[in-house]
Amino acid sequence: MNGEDEQFAVSSGETLMETLRGAGYYGVKNGCDEGVCGACNVILGDEGVTRSCLVPAASCDGAEVMTVEGLADDDGGLHPLQSAFLEHGAAQCSYCIPGVLLASYDLLQRNDEPTESEVADGLSGNICRCTGYVQQIEAVQAAADRLSGSDASSEGSG
Amino acid sequence: MPRSDTGDPETAAKSTSEARGDDAPVGESVEKVDGWGLVTGKARYTDDVPTDDALAAKVLRSPHAHARVRSIDTEAAETIAGVKAVLTHEDVPEDRFTRTGFPYPAPAPFDERVLNETVRFVGEPVAAVAARTAEAAAAAVDAIEVDYEPYDHVLDAHEAMGADAPTLHPEPYENPQENAAPERNVVCETRHEEGNVERGFEAADEVVEGEYETQAVHHLPMETNTTIAWVDDRRRLVLRTTTQVSHICRDKIARVFGLNRTDVRVVKPRVGGGFGVRQDTLPNQFIGAALALETGEKVRLKNDRKEDLHGAQTRHAQTVRVKTGVREDGTLTAMHVDVTSNTGAYGCHASAVLMNAAHEPLSVYPCENRLFTGRAVYTNVTPGGAMRGYGAVQGTFGIESHLDEVAAAIGMDPVELRRRNAVEEGDESFEPEYSESKRTLESVGVKECLERACETLGWADGPEEPADDRYQRGYGVALAMAKSGVPSSEFSRCNITLEDDGTLTVRVGVGDTGQGSETVMGQIAASVFGLGIESVHVKADDTDATPWDNGAYASSTTYISGNATEKAARDLAAKVRDLAAEWRGVAPDDVELADGEVRFPDGESMALERFASEAFQGIHGPKRRLTGTGKHHTALSPKPFAAQLAAVEVDTETGEFEVRRLVNAVDCGRAINPAGARGQVIGGAVMGLGQTVSEDLPLDDRGAPEFRGLRDYEVMHAPELPDIDTELVETDEPTGPFGAKSVGEVSILGPPAAIANAIHDAVGVRATELPITPETVWTALQEDRDR
């Protein structure tokens, strides 16, 4: 879990979402319970972004799982994506935000300089009802610039 | 004159700052006060607390659109291990009420109970269970046996008024609305005329008529409605719940269950969106409370997504008929708008939404003769409720679509027609007859919005046509107006404490569901002292901690709660000056507060931090802790405006169309937080786009939902977005906090008509029904070809 070893007792039929929320990973949100909204996204090993409401917890034995709680550093210092979301007004009610951040993180792992439409495609599995997505796309691109060092103004931050 | 924030932002910001004497975070896009938690997963929403000790609750819902519950047998359910309570209509208070989230008594009929003996829509709660486990609760719900006496049902508002239609509410109820005729399913009927429209039509060169239909859609906040209810150690009922109106929710729950207001507490943690569905006290909240009172235990009730989509309130489906007289020179001589609104099973927002449907969009055109007729009608569908735009989405779609037909009738450019007729400063808004609001408008930036949007889109040049003439492009326009609270209804009070470290604790009951109202209140308070936003803590999440505030609806917060917060801050600032003056033996008026400092006439100054610390320690006299209070209530409701332009491309072979660009120019007065305001504008516009092109909640003939869940509810996703331009055309509203009006709703109003008008501009097809589908466009294109 987010780079640490953790063990959870899992009852039969329990989803990964339920297990994680039950263990206090409340950043995993239950937005629809039917695999549509992306609010429960986690990054599951090599499979990348995964809807945890569709995954049986029992199938995750030994898996590496990353939740939004794993994005910030140990002192609460924000990941550039998180900073950019705040700076761009991309977080309104933010119930979708953990899932959006993880989808964005996953995208940037694969593509460190995504175009606007590549970011939009990267967020196609997330529903945000507040922002209209525009600020989120801007934030992801700004974070990409910061992470790749092409944004000189952000030196020393993040 | 309207001021532009993009012309010279520094000058604009400076002039406000000088005028108010503040060095302000107002006008700056400061980060949200709750931002860190929102992006780290640390923010706690209703369900983000351990609830191992809570009973699981589940609701049994009606399979019938209209039926009487002849009898319910709960015995089998009650004997299931772990079941703690089974409630039916026999176990809940008999008095009827309205769930409507306005202050008591609310402009709505008292026509429902916590659980009703007669059910009036598929999915209406019939019984509720609390059990030790979710499995036991589910088994108990399955074990309840209900004997229904099915009644005839009616789904269509026009049919519901017919002689053959079943009557949904035959028994008299309290608080009937204007001209109620429940025997004909009419919740209310209204007529409001200014001038004389018949004379106006006679004076016209052309008279144009049209009819427009809008659909029910759902708010779809990403967090479903959830309640955790318990009885605390002082035997008070506590609700931790998804609400945007915590104080009204508390009042409503207390009244329904016959409790003292002080014996109910509502905790509103972070809330995952609202958009109006959380303005009402929802069945979920009443049922959760009833189960907690019944069992004395903690109860958790979370709607699943389909329950939320189908069982919580929707936007009202409406039919909008418009008739307009116009002279060849473009002068509008008369407008008559007639609205039939489908309010569904209960009258919640029937009346107020109906009023809004015509009063807001008609206010944009102060022609001499205006008539509004309308009625809201009961049917056997999910109740209509409050939703962002609140009637004006429907009315604006009708009126703004229709105005393009009016322009065509006299051969005038649609923008030119609007330019000639749109409201200006000093004009009067078309207020409901009961409104006490001063009608004369002081800040009106709609024409500036129109010019700016036209310039951005390149309206005068028209769209560039693609090479292949299979594809046709068009531009469309719509104007819109909203409000800043319900006149004479809103009330907010704010308390601010100067802590001994020089920071401020702001207690105000705003209903932040993500829009950033806690941040805006923080900015307002900080600005009065010249402090940074980091020096302010805003406490807004608990009715025990905050004085009464109506909460978040009707775009009221920035204007109403913002004024209360500014007054509280100024009250506190005056007390700081008084005390500082006392210490130094100078006149209070000679003490200045700026940049977080107390400044004395001799040129000396002390940081507010030191001042507060010395006051607290009593270094110059008795120990002092300073607080300021402010309250705001008003008959005024200044209007925000928008001009929204759409560019579309239509495939003439298939009828498919793409919205390529949406330009939103919005006058929200001064933007307290420009990034937040921009977010409201874009979010509203994209929600309006969804209503225009895809969102729908189809029911079958029996009134049952034809959608399985979220997978069948087509909202906008990121890849479907058009290019979106957003411009804040700032005006200075003299009665607003720091010149602000509101911004939460106005931008959802224009897209439906702007897009319909753009499609018409592209291919000559007039879409009169929402959502606009490729089938509609294709069918009309075929008819044109066959003609």
Side-chain angles (χ1 to χ4, degrees), chain B residues 388-529:
Chain B
R388 194 180 206 172
Y390 203 76
V393 167
Q394 299 92 315
T396 302
F397 172 61
I399 291 168
E400 292 292 323
S401 295
H402 168 79
L403 277 176
D404 269 36
E405 301 292 292
V406 173
I410 56 167
M412 185 174 278
D413 176 83
V415 162
E416 184 57 28
L417 180 72
R418 287 169 172 83
R419 197 178 273 138
R420 291 188 186 201
N421 288 286
V423 61
E424 296 179 331
E425 279 170 28
D427 283 338
E428 292 193 346
S429 58
F430 187 59
E431 295 282 327
E433 279 173 325
Y434 55 77
S435 171
E436 294 164 9
S437 179
K438 191 170 70 173
R439 291 154 184 246
T440 306
L441 300 172
E442 296 196 71
S443 60
V444 180
V446 69
K447 288 192 177 178
E448 180 74 13
C449 288
L450 182 60
E451 298 314 323
R452 290 276 294 280
C454 284
E455 200 176 306
T456 300
L457 184 66
W459 176 273
D461 300 332
E464 208 171 289
E465 290 298 343
D468 183 347
D469 67 4
R470 168 177 168 172
Y471 300 95
Q472 298 285 318
R473 291 182 183 171
Y475 283 171
V477 59
L479 303 182
M481 188 196 91
K483 58 178 155 335
S484 303
V486 181
S488 306
S489 177
E490 312 299 351
F491 184 91
S492 178
R493 187 189 288 275
C494 175
N495 300 331
I496 304 181
T497 302
L498 176 63
E499 306 293 351
D500 67 316
D501 62 357
T503 62
L504 305 177
T505 300
V506 177
R507 292 181 177 84
V508 62
V510 294
D512 197 334
T513 58
Q515 67 276 53
S517 39
E518 291 180 20
T519 305
V520 165
M521 296 309 121
Q523 287 181 265
I524 288 171
S527 293
V528 169
F529 293 87

Side-chain angles (χ1 to χ4, degrees), chain B residues 568-586:
Chain B
R570 295 201 184 281
D571 182 49
L572 176 58
K575 288 174 177 167
V576 169
R577 277 196 296 269
D578 283 349
L579 184 59
E582 191 184 306
W583 289 353
R584 293 295 185 97
V586 297

Side-chain angles (χ1 to χ4, degrees), chain A residues 21-22 24-39 67-73 75-78 81-98 101 116-117 119-138, chain B residues 29-32 34-36 38-45 47-51 217-224 270-273 275 302 304-306 309 387-388 513-515 675-676 678-680 682-684 686-687 690 695 708-713 715-719 721-724:
Chain A
R21 288 185 52 81
Y25 290 94
Y26 292 119
V28 181
K29 299 295 183 212
N30 177 1
C32 68
D33 223 350
E34 51 177 297
V36 176
C37 75
T67 66
V68 71
E69 284 89 349
L71 262 185
D73 66 30
D75 301 324
L78 297 181
L81 270 168
Q82 293 170 309
S83 307
F85 268 61
L86 290 180
E87 287 158 17
H88 287 260
Q92 287 189 29
C93 92
S94 303
Y95 201 79
C96 74
I97 289 293
L101 282 170
E116 199 177 302
S117 72
V119 177
D121 286 342
L123 301 184
S124 63
N126 295 82
I127 297 176
C128 169
R129 197 57 165 160
C130 295
T131 65
Y133 306 102
V134 172
Q135 309 90 310
Q136 299 186 347
I137 296 168
E138 292 168 350
Chain B
S29 298
V30 302
E31 276 178 21
K32 296 178 77 173
D34 50 351
W36 186 83
L38 296 178
V39 297
T40 54
K42 298 291 185 193
R44 291 290 173 257
Y45 299 75
D47 203 30
D48 295 341
V49 289
T51 45
V217 297
H218 194 256
H219 318 64
L220 193 75
M222 292 319 298
E223 181 186 24
T224 60
R270 293 300 88 195
V271 174
F275 317 114
K302 179 177 174 18
D304 71 28
R305 181 51 73 184
K306 190 177 178 185
L309 265 176
M387 183 173 175
R388 194 180 206 172
T513 58
Q515 67 276 53
R678 176 174 177 259
Q680 288 300 303
I682 298 172
V686 172
M687 201 178 259
E695 291 181 38
R708 295 162 296 173
L710 189 56
R711 75 201 89 159
D712 295 326
Y713 192 64
V715 296
M716 299 299 294
H717 289 75
L721 292 180
D723 289 335
I724 296 179

Side-chain angles (χ1 to χ4, degrees), chain B residues 667-710:
Chain B
D667 157 26
C668 62
R670 291 290 300 167
I672 304 278
N673 185 316
R678 176 174 177 259
Q680 288 300 303
V681 173
I682 298 172
V686 172
M687 201 178 259
L689 200 54
Q691 169 123 25
T692 311
V693 303
S694 58
E695 291 181 38
D696 204 5
L697 294 165
L699 305 176
D700 66 19
D701 292 345
R702 298 174 304 112
E706 288 189 315
F707 46 94
R708 295 162 296 173
L710 189 56

Side-chain angles (χ1 to χ4, degrees), chain A residues 107-116 118-119 140-141 144-145 148 150:
Chain A
L107 170 70
L108 296 187
Q109 298 291 103
R110 291 178 280 114
N111 179 351
D112 61 8
E113 210 178 335
T115 63
E116 199 177 302
E118 285 169 342
V119 177
V140 174
Q141 290 197 293
D145 288 348
S148 66
S150 63

Side-chain angles (χ1 to χ4, degrees), chain B residues 84 101 179 192 197 204 225 260 311 366 375 399 408 415 441 530 571 574 586 594 706 719:
Chain B
K84 297 290 173 184
N179 300 317
H192 174 201
V197 287
N225 291 296
N260 295 328
R375 62 219 58 81
I399 291 168
V415 162
L441 300 172
D571 182 49
V586 297
E706 288 189 315

